Amino acid sequence: MNKVSQEIMGMLGISLVLDQAYFKDFFEQNDSILRLNHYPPCQKPELTLGTGPHTDPTSLTILQQDQVGGLQVFADEKWHSVAHIPGAFVVNIGDTFMALTNGIYKSCLHRAVVNTETVRKSLAFFLCPKLERPVTPAAGLVNAANSRKYPDFTWAALLEFTQNHYRADMKTLVAFSKWVQEQESNNKLIPYGQCWALWAWGTNKQLLWVNKVRLEGDK
Ligand SMILES: O=C(O)CCC(=O)C(=O)O
Ligand SMILES: [Fe+2]
């Protein structure tokens, strides 16, 4: 799976007029995930969803679904079933790759539905960057026509966000970007010297609210 994903990354690099090695190098070391999904039959499938609508927060997904079928993709304002093709994988783009391409490649909205009769299984390989490697778009993909879309982040932070703060849906990357920016401003403590000066100034001016103030220009 790792090898297949590297080959696909080579082609995606070429498609963006980047070096073929660009994404291959980025993902050469990775903290990828393999997941087995098991969907028991359900008496009222219309009242439940095996996996609700979401985009994968990861970078690239290579999925093997069994012959039961149930994967659906949202395109042209409606849900389409993705047929099981023996011997074929389903490949889709995830949020992290969307950020790496500055929004040029879009992560794909999908879900998995259940049925009344049969157990369904799928096996998903999620290509992910190294946990602490900064995810930042390639320089050539940020320009006047395509300004910067998402803040820098790490896969570790997005994983933490989707495991402990937010259930992945179709707006994960937007919600995560906001969360990253909030975290950054909350963590921006005033350097001691400036804090002192503010306090002294504040005492004179009856302005004592210095805790966690984000100083303009303190980037
Ligand atoms: O089971 C499926 O076909 C899709 C599962 C899925 O979307 C996921 O694991 O992220
Ligand atoms: Fe998914």
Side-chain angles (χ1 to χ4, degrees), residues 187-196 198 209-215 218:
N187 290 342
K188 194 152 275 187
L189 294 175
I190 306 167
Y192 182 74
Q194 286 175 7
C195 187
W196 208 143
L198 254 181
W209 184 251
V210 291
N211 226 357
K212 289 199 173 182
V213 171
R214 184 173 183 194
L215 290 178
D218 178 24

Side-chain angles (χ1 to χ4, degrees), residues 120-139:
R120 172 175 183 266
K121 290 190 192 120
S122 66
L123 186 61
F125 172 80
F126 299 101
L127 178 70
C128 308
K130 272 305 270 175
L131 281 168
E132 296 301 340
R133 181 159 186 171
V135 172
T136 193

Side-chain angles (χ1 to χ4, degrees), residues 24-81:
K24 278 178 132 175
D25 289 349
F26 184 84
F27 288 104
E28 190 182 7
Q29 293 193 311
N30 56 72
D31 281 311
S32 296
I33 298 165
L34 192 64
R35 183 161 75 206
L36 176 64
N37 297 304
H38 176 268
Y39 304 90
C42 173
Q43 293 316 307
K44 296 203 167 160
E46 68 286 359
L47 296 184
T48 186
L49 272 175
T51 303
H54 67 283
T55 53
D56 293 332
T58 46
S59 301
L60 186 82
T61 305
I62 304 180
L63 181 101
Q64 166 84 74
Q65 62 166 340
D66 65 15
Q67 68 293 346
V68 176
L71 177 63
Q72 297 185 336
V73 64
F74 194 77
D76 301 328
E77 303 301 311
K78 52 179 190 275
W79 290 103
H80 302 266
S81 293

